[in-house]
Amino acid sequence: MRGYYARIDKSILFQQVQQHVHHPVLLDLVYQFLHYSVEEGGNFHTPVKGIARSSSLSPLLAAFHLFCVDRHFANQRHLYYRRYMDDFIIFTRSRWHLRQAVRELNQFFRQFGFVQHPDKTFIGPLHKGVDWMGAWFTNQGLCSIAPRALTNHRNTLRRLYEQTRTLSPQGQADRVARYVHRWRRWALSLCSLSACAQRRFVGRPKPAHPRPRDATDNTKFKTTKPNPGCPAPSPA
């Protein structure tokens, strides 16, 4: 969705917090946090909507804000739903279920005052491929790390080499190696977390333990082919 943090309705969020937090002191602290002041051109004012992006509490409240959406889709057996902050992915077996899920999700968006991001929204068949959180999904399941994620990885490596050029060769190598290790760990965890979606909608894969060949090449994480008798899902 577009501008998630900036579009959060303070009153709705505070009402949600009140359903779970009852201590008056804690509620007062949350209220003060939500109604923060900003300086612009020498003038101080409190934004009507939105929460601070730089606070450590903001990710927790932002994730909690859409918990009712998670609860609504979690128990629907005809679809697979996941959300990370304001990024959604929905797999369904039929177009009818897909349209119903998209309609219900848009109703939540209108209720909370959010809109879809036109450049980051894909609705259609999986054979075209879709990038979600750095993973590339097709009707074969999770096929590889998304091209965008690989491009960002290479660009980060180049910038890291430039930023560490004043270090000793060993210091530069250690700094780059730490980043590569974190990236590989993220890539492997991404594949393992996505396996549950593949087992449910694409077929039960054989045990596999993919490993990157090289952190800078076009690393692909192969999965087994789907069961021919299982229909291909469609994402939202």
Side-chain angles (χ1 to χ4, degrees):
M1 60 183 65
R2 174 183 289 176
Y4 177 53
Y5 275 67
R7 292 175 179 267
I8 291 179
D9 190 305
K10 300 175 187 291
S11 59
I12 295 178
L13 179 55
F14 188 69
Q15 291 174 5
Q16 292 174 326
V17 173
Q18 286 178 309
Q19 297 176 6
H20 300 272
V21 179
H22 306 289
H23 197 286
V25 175
L26 296 179
L27 287 175
D28 183 64
L29 290 174
V30 173
Y31 185 87
Q32 293 182 48
F33 173 82
L34 294 177
H35 296 80
Y36 63 97
S37 298
V38 297
E39 185 272 335
E40 184 177 1
N43 297 320
F44 289 86
H45 70 280
T46 300
V48 177
K49 286 189 174 184
I51 61 177
R53 295 178 58 91
S54 57
S55 172
S56 58
L57 185 59
S58 295
L60 175 63
L61 292 176
F64 165 74
H65 187 43
L66 296 179
F67 176 71
C68 60
V69 183
D70 303 335
R71 187 168 49 190
H72 173 78
F73 286 106
N75 298 322
Q76 298 190 24
R77 300 180 60 84
H78 56 271
L79 59 81
Y80 177 86
Y81 165 90
R82 285 294 182 270
R83 174 178 70 92
Y84 180 80
M85 200 61 69
D86 59 336
D87 291 320
F88 299 81
I89 188 168
I90 298 176
F91 293 138
T92 65
R93 295 182 182 275
S94 66
R95 292 183 179 179
W96 185 86
H97 286 138
L98 173 63
R99 292 170 180 169
Q100 181 184 19
V102 172
R103 181 170 59 253
E104 293 174 355
L105 185 60
N106 286 332
Q107 289 175 353
F108 278 110
F109 282 2
R110 288 191 293 270
Q111 175 184 347
F112 287 103
F114 299 127
V115 294
Q116 294 182 6
H117 197 295
D119 300 328
K120 298 181 180 180
T121 302
F122 175 84
I123 303 175
L126 265 178
H127 68 81
K128 295 182 179 180
V130 59
D131 173 6
W132 188 72
M133 301 299 298
W136 187 252
F137 290 93
T138 68
N139 56 348
Q140 302 296 317
L142 174 61
C143 294
S144 65
I145 301 299
R148 177 184 58 85
L150 289 172
T151 300
N152 292 340
H153 173 54
R154 297 191 192 97
N155 292 336
T156 301
L157 274 177
R158 295 189 185 98
R159 290 195 300 268
L160 191 58
Y161 274 113
E162 294 175 357
Q163 294 169 359
T164 58
R165 64 181 182 273
T166 58
L167 301 178
S168 64
Q170 184 61 43
Q172 186 181 46
D174 291 342
R175 180 77 176 275
V176 173
R178 287 196 297 270
Y179 165 74
V180 172
H181 173 73
R182 292 194 301 270
W183 188 87
R184 285 181 171 178
R185 185 173 58 185
W186 164 80
L188 291 175
S189 64
L190 182 67
C191 294
S192 62
L193 288 174
S194 301
C196 59
Q198 185 184 14
R199 287 195 297 269
R200 182 171 179 181
F201 281 94
V202 182
R204 187 175 298 277
K206 297 179 181 179
H209 302 282
R211 298 180 63 88
R213 295 190 304 272
D214 190 320
T216 59
D217 65 359
N218 293 328
T219 305
K220 291 190 176 182
F221 296 82
K222 299 292 185 180
T223 56
T224 55
K225 293 183 179 180
N227 187 341
C230 183
S234 300

